[in-house]
Amino acid sequence: MRLTRYFLPVLKETPAEAQIVSHRLMLRAGMIKQASAGIYSWLPMGFKVLRKLENIIHQEQIRAGHIPIQMPIIQSADLWRESGRYDAYGAEMLRIKDRHDRDVLFTPTAEELVTDIFRSHVGSYKDLPLTLYQIQWKFRDEVRPRFGVMRGREFYMKDGYNFDLTKEDALHAYNRHLVSYLRTYERMGLQAIPMRADSGPIGGDDTHEFLVLAETGESEVFYDSQVTDLTFGDRDIDYDDRAQCQAVLDEFTSLYARTDETHDEALFNAIPADRRRVARGIEVGQIFYFGTKYSESMGATVADAQGNNVPVHMGSHGIGVSRLIGAIIEASHDENGIIWPEGVTPFHCGIVNLKQGDAEADAACDAIYKSLTALGLEPLYDDRNERAGGKFATMDLIGLPWRITVGPRGLKNGVVELTSRRTGESQELPPEQAVAKIHEIYQNL
RNA sequence: CGGGCUAUAGCGCAGUCUGGUAGCGCGUCCGUCUGGGGGACGGGAGGUCGUAGGUUCGAAUCCUGCUAGCCCGACCA
């Protein structure tokens, strides 16, 4: 993409309404525009990142054997009365009347709807296990939205629901979700620590929240420092292998790691003092096993092998997609702007032409642009007639992980500059080698 | 939902106390010179001062209602 043909409304100054760094940077980098309190339009670059996260989530969910669907955002109140949550949910649920004066609502979550789909079409244990998920806009009418997309009212969320014959099967589904979430967050360049959590209004027995450590996190967290040494890496996983999935869960949840909701001072103090950590975290996902809570109230049963109708065991599992963008920026930025991890960056690299209009510099930039594009990479070429300082400032702000700087001075020696946004380190090398290097970086991702 | 604050050009702000020609910086548009970390000079465009009413010869400024947004708390993915 050529910057002169793109829509990237960057701001030099910070809008007054933004307090925390991710909100400020998202506004300044032209990713979002507030439409009203807690509701945002996603401008091209923000939308691009959102799509990248979504793609990673889809890939990892499908890899785990889970099946994508899409459910409506406006739902009838009837189903919610059936589960008893229409009255239980409270003012956070946005209730609307349609033209026939029927009660409808903007979905805050979809247990009722997915359970209705299930009970309409599934009747036998032979159809299990089944996990359906969607990535869809949700609405929770927060009393006080804040922190930009991290605590909006409208938010984009992956929500998945497993249906299993037995508790053991459902716990395996729970473990599958934990494993797939670990992989998902790592691909996004994030460390998200599973912590024992409280089940809240969704209800249930087993639940873990995934937290990204950040000073601006809304939750206070307590953990054993060894937990941050754990990485999933590129290990092979067989999602049908129960023992293997269980082993991953054990590995990642045995060390002490809890939010303030479930914090246990005595257990925490049993950790060697030098490993005790108290910090703040941003919740970016949560997994639940809640058994037959909805299947019983809504009659979601299957015939088991003996021909008895039994309620299915369920769980639900969420990833806050839009808030993840805020979390990634909170975890990865400096005083000049965002630093995108390679896995989620809106463009793979920036090309800065230091002297727009100079025949040689223009030609070299065009050639680099074409080479990168031919390799399947997406560069952002700053071809504006701006001075170098302005172009560098924009690139730093929007945070592309790699930058190729092209100027007449370097071209005289046959070189361009390749710079890492994260480390600031630069190397001079011929244009073809810079292209090859970028290609290599993304191939190894 | 309790407490506090704000609303003036695209963004950041001054002007309000003490009523009298609506300003500054950045951005933006045109031109010239520039050209390796937000450059210089010259010339433009852009605001019914959130909204409705009131006081007054006269209201961005004083008074009242309303709306929107922000911060702290309670709540929450």
Side-chain angles (χ1 to χ4, degrees):
Chain A
M1 179 60 67
R2 286 169 180 271
L3 193 46
T4 53
R5 298 181 192 172
Y6 201 46
F7 179 57
L8 185 71
V10 298
L11 303 173
K12 199 164 177 177
E13 283 168 293
T14 304
E17 80 248 24
Q19 301 300 315
I20 64 166
V21 66
S22 61
H23 190 193
R24 286 203 296 260
L25 289 175
M26 286 182 78
L27 289 168
R28 285 195 54 211
M31 296 175 68
I32 52 170
K33 164 151 177 38
Q34 180 165 322
S36 56
I39 302 178
Y40 295 87
S41 294
W42 292 78
L43 306 183
M45 202 179 78
F47 185 56
K48 223 160 182 302
V49 177
L50 198 63
R51 283 281 174 261
K52 287 230 169 178
L53 300 188
E54 192 179 356
N55 284 340
I56 291 172
I57 293 167
H58 272 303
Q59 286 169 9
E60 293 303 327
Q61 287 308 297
I62 289 166
R63 194 197 301 272
H66 305 157
I67 303 170
I69 61 172
Q70 189 91 131
M71 292 182 278
I73 51 176
I74 301 291
Q75 302 182 358
S76 162
D78 293 346
L79 278 176
W80 287 71
R81 293 202 172 96
E82 202 175 328
S83 71
R85 282 210 293 181
Y86 190 68
D87 296 320
Y89 215 95
E92 292 205 335
M93 184 156 70
L94 180 62
R95 297 146 203 268
I96 312 167
K97 291 229 188 244
D98 71 8
R99 67 192 301 165
H100 301 294
D101 207 37
R102 287 183 291 234
D103 291 320
V104 295
L105 55 95
F106 196 117
T107 176
T109 174
E111 279 83 4
E112 282 80 0
L113 205 71
V114 77
T115 304
D116 182 56
I117 291 169
F118 179 88
R119 70 181 174 185
S120 300
H121 299 292
V122 180
S124 162
Y125 75 98
K126 291 178 183 170
D127 297 323
L128 304 183
L130 179 65
T131 296
L132 301 173
Y133 78 93
Q134 67 171 347
I135 301 178
Q136 178 65 288
W137 291 97
K138 305 290 191 309
F139 195 93
R140 287 183 196 166
D141 198 3
E142 291 288 337
V143 195
R144 190 185 159 205
R146 59 187 125 170
F147 305 151
V149 298
M150 295 230 291
R151 178 123 181 245
R153 292 194 291 167
E154 186 173 276
F155 57 100
Y156 205 42
M157 179 182 173
K158 173 265 170 185
D159 48 323
Y161 308 86
N162 67 282
F163 302 90
D164 289 280
L165 182 62
T166 66
K167 178 171 184 180
E168 294 69 47
D169 293 350
L171 289 176
H172 174 53
Y174 185 90
N175 296 348
R176 274 201 319 272
H177 280 90
L178 183 127
V179 174
S180 68
Y181 281 22
L182 289 172
R183 289 185 55 109
T184 300
Y185 295 125
E186 279 198 20
R187 282 186 61 186
M188 295 172 180
L190 277 178
Q191 177 167 51
I193 304 166
M195 300 197 183
R196 183 186 299 260
D198 194 46
S199 60
I202 296 184
D205 307 326
D206 289 85
T207 178
H208 282 89
E209 284 180 348
F210 289 77
L211 285 112
V212 173
L213 298 177
E215 285 169 21
T216 47
E218 76 273 49
S219 316
E220 189 168 30
V221 298
F222 304 81
Y223 62 95
D224 182 331
S225 65
Q226 291 190 336
V227 84
T228 56
D229 297 333
L230 297 170
T231 55
F232 191 84
D234 58 357
R235 63 179 94 173
D236 282 326
I237 184 86
D238 176 357
Y239 281 104
D240 291 327
D241 185 332
R242 294 187 177 219
Q244 193 187 16
C245 290
Q246 182 67 45
V248 173
L249 178 126
D250 292 342
E251 177 184 348
F252 280 84
T253 61
S254 297
L255 290 164
Y256 189 88
R258 294 193 182 189
T259 65
D260 48 7
E261 295 171 328
T262 54
H263 179 55
D264 182 321
E265 200 67 30
L267 287 174
F268 185 61
N269 289 333
I271 306 169
D274 62 321
R275 281 168 32 199
R276 284 179 219 152
R277 297 284 185 280
V278 179
R280 304 200 68 82
I282 300 164
E283 192 193 325
V284 293
Q286 187 159 11
I287 53 177
F288 292 96
Y289 162 72
F290 48 68
T292 58
K293 174 178 162 125
Y294 295 93
S295 54
E296 280 183 20
S297 63
M298 297 184 63
T301 60
V302 293
D304 66 12
Q306 286 74 44
N308 304 312
N309 277 328
V310 295
V312 290
H313 286 257
M314 294 175 58
S316 69
H317 316 278
I319 294 178
V321 187
S322 45
R323 76 159 23 194
L324 260 171
I325 298 184
I328 290 169
I329 295 171
E330 290 294 331
S332 183
H333 68 271
D334 64 16
E335 65 279 7
N336 295 320
I338 301 167
I339 304 173
W340 291 114
E342 273 91 355
V344 303
T345 183
F347 294 95
H348 295 102
C349 85
I351 303 171
V352 169
N353 187 343
L354 291 173
K355 193 169 183 183
Q356 207 71 41
D358 177 274
E360 271 188 67
D362 289 0
C365 286
D366 284 342
I368 291 167
Y369 185 91
K370 284 196 179 108
S371 305
L372 286 165
T373 306
L375 290 166
L377 294 167
E378 243 186 320
L380 181 65
Y381 171 22
D382 189 345
D383 59 339
R384 295 174 302 166
N385 189 20
E386 287 286 322
R387 299 172 61 84
K391 293 192 177 189
F392 288 140
T394 298
M395 279 296 169
D396 287 348
L397 173 62
I398 68 174
L400 308 185
W402 297 94
R403 184 184 83 207
I404 296 177
T405 309
V406 180
R409 196 182 297 170
L411 288 175
K412 280 204 180 70
N413 302 317
V415 296
V416 297
E417 195 178 74
L418 178 63
T419 307
S420 160
R421 174 69 180 83
R422 189 170 293 280
T423 66
E425 286 167 15
S426 283
Q427 46 186 317
E428 295 200 325
L429 65 188
E432 319 82 65
Q433 283 182 32
V435 168
K437 195 121 189 171
I438 299 274
H439 187 224
E440 188 189 329
I441 287 161
Y442 285 99
Q443 288 236 301
N444 294 334
L445 207 59

